[in-house]
Amino acid sequence: MIKGALIGGKELVARVGRLDSVVKGALRQSITKLSIKLQRLVKQKLSDNVLRVRTGRLRRSITCKVDEQTWQIIGTVGTNVEYAARHEFGFHGTENVRAHLRMMKQAFGRPVKNPRKSMVQQHSRTVNTPARSFLRSSLADMQDEIVADMQSAITAAVKEAL
């Protein structure tokens, strides 16, 4: 018959129990740092002639947030601008244009002496916008760094807890 005894079992259970909160805290910190870095990279891409900035609205709308739930920590970088998806994924198809007023400033390539407004009727047009990714490509660029940083955060947290 073989007998065994675990000495320090209570201390081991306490350390392992603490492991969950320590690892979760380290991952939260890592994901927050990586989300901010990804946001910065996306804004940099938008500044480097990916979409030829006109107003800067899309670049200003890029946000990051970190949501923590019971079993997961989610870092999100995105935008709420309605035309961002068209640039990110591209668009090929027909769209309807509402009736509107247009300021006629030139005719036949020459400036008009007295600019005037003219009514443009509702019509449809064919659009062929190529995909110019700024979110997905930035995430792909950082993929190795994200994996490495999260692994090192987990490793350091486990060593600290045990």
Side-chain angles (χ1 to χ4, degrees), residues 34 138-152:
L34 290 167
S138 297
L139 182 61
D141 292 347
M142 280 189 63
Q143 182 177 357
D144 294 337
E145 181 181 350
I146 290 169
V147 170
D149 192 83
M150 289 176 67
Q151 284 178 343
S152 66

Side-chain angles (χ1 to χ4, degrees), residues 46-136:
L46 288 172
S47 298
D48 291 342
N49 288 333
V50 170
L51 297 178
R52 293 183 214 106
V53 175
R54 289 186 185 175
T55 63
R57 179 178 174 219
L58 179 59
R59 184 177 48 213
R60 283 190 310 271
S61 74
I62 303 297
T63 60
C64 75
K65 68 177 186 174
V66 177
D67 293 323
E68 185 174 345
Q69 297 169 0
T70 307
W71 294 103
Q72 59 187 357
I73 302 169
I74 302 169
T76 306
V77 175
T79 178
N80 61 354
V81 172
E82 61 278 352
Y83 58 85
R86 183 172 282 202
H87 290 295
E88 179 72 22
F89 301 107
F91 177 73
H92 305 287
T94 305
E95 69 180 6
N96 294 322
V97 179
R98 296 183 304 199
H100 62 279
L101 288 174
R102 167 181 257 154
M103 179 63 79
M104 191 177 88
K105 296 180 181 178
Q106 57 176 287
F108 306 108
R110 294 187 177 174
V112 176
K113 194 173 197 176
N114 298 321
R116 63 181 180 168
K117 291 183 180 180
S118 61
M119 185 67 177
V120 177
Q121 297 295 319
Q122 177 182 355
H123 62 282
S124 61
R125 66 179 181 180
T126 303
V127 179
N128 188 12
T129 306
R132 292 184 295 254
S133 177
F134 53 95
L135 290 169
R136 293 175 298 154

Side-chain angles (χ1 to χ4, degrees), residues 5-9 11:
L6 178 62
I7 299 172
E11 291 83 8

